[in-house]
Amino acid sequence: MSELSADPPNSRLFILCGKTVTDEELHEAFDKYGHIKDIWIVKDRNTMESKGVVYIKFSKSSEAALAQEEMNGKTLAAGGKPIKVMIAHSREQGSRFDDDPERLLRLFILVPKAASEEQLEEYFKKFGDLDYVSIVKNKTSGESKGVAYVKYHRAYHAAKAYEECSRSYKAVFARPREQKNQSSIDSNDRMGFSAPYNGPPGGGSGGRWGAGSGMLSSGSGSPASGGRLIALLHSSLRDEQIYRLFDICPGLVDIRPQANRIYGMQKVLVDYNCHAAAVHACEKLNGFEYPPNYRISVKPYGSSMDEMSDGGGASGGLLGHAPVKPEVNGSSGMTTISNTELATLTAALAKAETIIKTAGLGTQAPTSGLLKASEADTFDQTYCSVRLPPPQPLAAPTDEETFRLFIVCQPGLPSMYALRDIFGRFGNLIEVYTLHGKNCGYVTYATKESSDNAIKTLHLQEVCGMRMKVMVAEPPRPGVTRSDRKRMRTDEEDRASSS
DNA sequence: CGACGGGACGC
DNA sequence: CGACGGGACGC
């Protein structure tokens, strides 16, 4: 059956050897590399003579890989010709002229969105010398797509990684790169409107959006069908981080850096495909402290600061403008911005905040005097109601047991950024992911200590204005995923259930 | 109350 | 230059 010969992938050898080679000689030469499931000496139908072609099926890819590496070019019997040993292609594929040399070396894996290539290298180098680890990123934003390629120098190492890396990576051998024939899909998501807006009222995703819409409409010169914000952030923030911040809600269309940097701050223009999204982002991000001690300033584009923005020059509502590649528009007023702008901005922000608060919009509980931003040192109660440890490095998915928390927030979830930062501060955080359209999610740690500490300090605290419950997660329902089913040993299950 | 995702590379 | 058998579906 064709399925069996491809089960584990790359576990079958294709061998060219003398026509007199015997089963015994093959066993003698190849048994040492692992468990042989089948040896097939291909014979001519009529003469029944060997054609000098042999298939050897191993139970594991790594066994076949090692056998290939060590036995290729060796001679089996005295006086015989050197044999050629290759990893067989699939039956369907058969002999190929364009043999992709990467097909045995490159794995495709799922990775946490926040994982770094360095982190993954650190993990995957335990299986052998790496060529590279490459996270697939959104080209314009730099945001990880949650997948990566891992390439080794030796097929044996790739196979070991395939077999032994943590199951959460869901490693497979990478499909060959697509050849260069597709001329122009040229997927010009010009308007970026392809991103569905799950947002406000109809979507059943809760009310935290609904009340907001319109609150900034007065005095905002943003386009009628979208929403444009202008933001000041600390210069240390990379594009990817900025993208993550503003990706707080669906509908993000474009982020364009503005040329002028002011006192260690950078300015970006941010477009959403609808007004409510922009309003929401503004509401959530303005005043957010990141990095610690540096508050982000966000306000609707179109009031007193417009003239400062060089890129979009003609201030006012460019409706449905085409996104521009991030590029520095260096020529114009580079250094002329000063305290004046900051003061203007701060004032505008203060005003906007007052408007928001006095309007009584939003679903938060009435903001009491507790939330005064009289910060001694870095403690910002509007970010988190309890004092947090300093940021810690993330952990890669491990081979050991992981510890998972279940979190629920009312009235909604804080941004992904905030969640990662906050839960990351207890150390050994692997991942946080949230359920689509729900106010809950899962947080995975590599150690019980970190997990326990997160519960202790965060349970029933307020994060970004949301009350959060943090508890140990129930284990996932068994037998729902394909991979689980694939790996299930039915005989063991049966034995267990019958006793 | 509040429970289980994500998947492809500038040749 | 070098690519695909044998066995066989239900106790």
Side-chain angles (χ1 to χ4, degrees), chain A residues 81-376:
Chain A
K81 280 196 310 187
I83 63 174
K84 286 172 87 172
V85 183
M86 289 151 279
I87 302 293
H89 285 122
S90 70
R91 278 179 125 94
E92 304 73 45
Q93 193 166 209
S95 181
R96 291 190 64 106
F97 292 99
D98 56 338
D99 193 0
D100 176 15
E102 285 189 322
R103 76 182 223 275
L104 306 171
L105 302 176
R106 216 166 53 118
L107 301 180
F108 176 72
I109 59 173
L110 298 183
V111 300
K113 286 270 203 326
S116 70
E117 284 167 358
E118 293 71 27
Q119 206 176 34
L120 296 170
E121 279 166 17
E122 185 62 28
Y123 178 86
F124 279 93
K125 74 180 185 190
K126 75 176 81 167
F127 304 107
D129 286 343
L130 288 166
D131 188 347
Y132 58 76
V133 172
S134 168
I135 293 176
V136 179
K137 305 184 186 101
N138 179 309
K139 193 172 34 173
T140 54
S141 69
E143 186 202 29
S144 166
K145 290 186 178 172
V147 300
Y149 293 95
V150 179
K151 190 179 175 193
Y152 290 89
H153 293 293
R154 286 180 55 192
Y156 175 64
H157 291 149
K160 280 299 225 185
Y162 168 75
E163 289 157 3
E164 293 172 17
C165 75
S166 166
R167 288 175 54 167
S168 63
Y169 287 111
K170 300 199 163 107
V172 294
F173 285 93
R175 293 198 299 261
R177 307 169 120 93
E178 306 216 345
Q179 275 106 26
K180 42 172 182 183
N181 49 3
Q182 298 180 1
S183 54
S184 64
I185 298 186
D186 196 10
S187 57
N188 233 343
D189 47 316
R190 285 175 46 83
M191 294 301 152
F193 288 166
S194 51
Y197 180 65
N198 304 326
S205 173
R208 72 183 196 269
W209 299 66
S213 92
M215 80 168 84
L216 293 173
S217 58
S218 64
S220 130
S222 52
S225 71
R228 176 173 291 180
L229 304 174
I230 186 104
L232 261 186
L233 318 98
H234 194 255
S235 291
S236 67
L237 296 185
R238 292 173 285 109
D239 288 356
E240 175 185 348
Q241 297 173 293
I242 297 172
Y243 179 88
R244 286 211 201 109
L245 285 170
F246 286 93
D247 199 27
I248 183 174
C249 59
L252 177 59
V253 172
D254 190 31
I255 299 179
R256 288 195 302 293
Q258 305 297 290
N260 33 13
R261 295 193 165 227
I262 315 104
Y263 283 72
M265 306 290 277
Q266 58 181 320
K267 187 160 70 171
V268 295
L269 206 55
V270 186
D271 280 329
Y272 292 88
N273 64 11
C274 80
H275 185 71
V279 168
H280 179 77
C282 186
E283 180 186 343
K284 289 300 176 225
L285 294 176
N286 183 38
F288 185 63
E289 203 175 279
Y290 185 75
N293 286 328
Y294 296 92
R295 288 187 178 247
I296 294 171
S297 299
V298 188
K299 75 179 203 64
Y301 180 87
S303 45
S304 53
M305 257 183 59
D306 292 357
E307 54 276 9
M308 312 296 197
S309 64
D310 41 66
S315 65
L318 298 183
L319 188 65
H321 71 287
V324 179
K325 283 179 192 159
E327 61 187 0
V328 178
N329 191 355
S331 55
S332 60
M334 176 64 196
T335 53
T336 56
I337 316 304
S338 66
N339 298 340
T340 324
E341 180 177 38
L342 283 176
T344 313
L345 180 72
T346 315
L349 287 170
K351 197 171 98 183
E353 259 172 40
T354 344
I355 291 170
I356 292 168
K357 282 177 182 165
T358 53
L361 299 167
T363 52
Q364 305 185 11
T367 49
S368 64
L370 290 176
L371 303 182
K372 189 162 46 109
S374 66
E375 68 296 319

Side-chain angles (χ1 to χ4, degrees), chain A residues 1-8 11-12 37 57-58 91:
Chain A
M1 283 185 182
S2 57
E3 285 180 272
L4 288 177
S5 63
D7 188 23
S11 61
R12 198 173 56 134
K37 303 180 82 172
K57 173 71 181 174
F58 280 96
R91 278 179 125 94

Side-chain angles (χ1 to χ4, degrees), chain A residues 24-52:
Chain A
E24 289 69 32
E25 289 171 321
L26 291 165
H27 269 291
E28 194 169 327
F30 285 92
D31 273 346
K32 63 171 79 72
Y33 298 108
H35 178 237
I36 292 179
K37 303 180 82 172
D38 188 34
I39 292 188
W40 170 24
I41 301 174
V42 179
K43 301 191 179 83
D44 183 285
R45 273 186 198 287
N46 305 119
T47 69
M48 292 306 282
E49 282 180 337
S50 164
K51 293 162 79 171

Side-chain angles (χ1 to χ4, degrees), chain A residues 357-396:
Chain A
K357 282 177 182 165
T358 53
L361 299 167
T363 52
Q364 305 185 11
T367 49
S368 64
L370 290 176
L371 303 182
K372 189 162 46 109
S374 66
E375 68 296 319
D377 57 322
T378 68
F379 184 35
D380 177 7
Q381 287 197 355
T382 66
Y383 184 42
C384 181
S385 55
V386 69
R387 194 177 286 268
L388 295 170
Q392 300 287 318
L394 298 171

